[in-house]
Amino acid sequence: MDLPVAADHQLLKSLIDTMVEENYISSLPIALVTPSASGLTMTDWLKKGEVSDIPKYLFRWIPVAPPTVSTLTKEQVEGLRDLSNFKIFAIYGDQDSMGRKVTNYLETDGGAKALQLPGTHPVYLDSPDLFVQNVLEDLGLVP
């Protein structure tokens, strides 16, 4: 799915609910990859104070250098660490200084597992095979 850049967490939740109702998703929670500006859906979720809803929808958040993470308070990021059955796997390109900064923030204060891959800001385009391989490994989908 590809949401508009300005999509908030309510739109994301509504879309996920609809996908479950229409049997596009068999069950919740799911893993969510948010490249760059798409991370707004998650930062909006954290800013609106509905953090306890996250594990109902997501078991894994895979942010790829989302700049909006830098707008979160330390307390909001730390709140992710306390969620049960929810983990973060943050990925960024080695040539992306902003991506490195937000990934370090998620790793240090949010308990994220971090991964640097060869590439620029859209590292999933620069190193697609490595990106997919690491995401699948993190999700336990590679033997």
Side-chain angles (χ1 to χ4, degrees):
M1 73 180 120
D2 190 14
L3 296 173
V5 171
D8 65 9
H9 78 286
Q10 292 295 352
L11 181 59
L12 174 62
K13 286 168 51 173
S14 176
L15 177 62
I16 293 171
D17 286 337
T18 299
M19 291 178 81
V20 170
E21 290 167 13
E22 297 294 325
N23 294 317
Y24 292 110
I25 297 174
S26 60
S27 65
L28 294 177
I30 62 171
L32 178 69
V33 179
T34 59
S36 192
S38 298
L40 175 63
T41 56
M42 289 299 295
T43 55
D44 178 69
W45 210 331
L46 295 167
K47 288 179 177 184
K48 301 293 188 200
E50 298 177 19
V51 177
S52 60
D53 279 357
I54 293 174
K56 174 185 172 191
Y57 289 90
L58 307 174
F59 70 90
R60 181 87 76 254
W61 176 32
I62 305 170
V64 185
T68 57
V69 165
S70 63
T71 67
L72 296 171
T73 67
K74 182 176 176 126
E75 292 76 22
Q76 288 167 328
V77 174
E78 287 174 340
L80 293 168
R81 184 186 301 266
D82 299 330
L83 295 175
S84 61
N85 303 315
F86 175 79
K87 296 194 182 306
I88 307 166
F89 180 36
I91 304 173
Y92 69 99
D94 63 354
Q95 298 169 46
D96 182 7
S97 60
M98 185 277 307
R100 176 181 290 114
K101 179 181 174 184
V102 297
T103 296
N104 287 343
Y105 190 27
L106 288 169
E107 182 179 29
T108 302
D109 295 327
K113 175 177 148 185
L115 176 66
Q116 174 185 284
L117 293 175
T120 59
H121 186 66
V123 70
Y124 48 90
L125 297 176
D126 296 330
S127 296
D129 293 338
L130 278 174
F131 180 84
V132 170
Q133 175 188 349
N134 279 279
V135 168
L136 292 176
E137 285 175 5
D138 182 67
L139 296 173
L141 298 174
V142 175

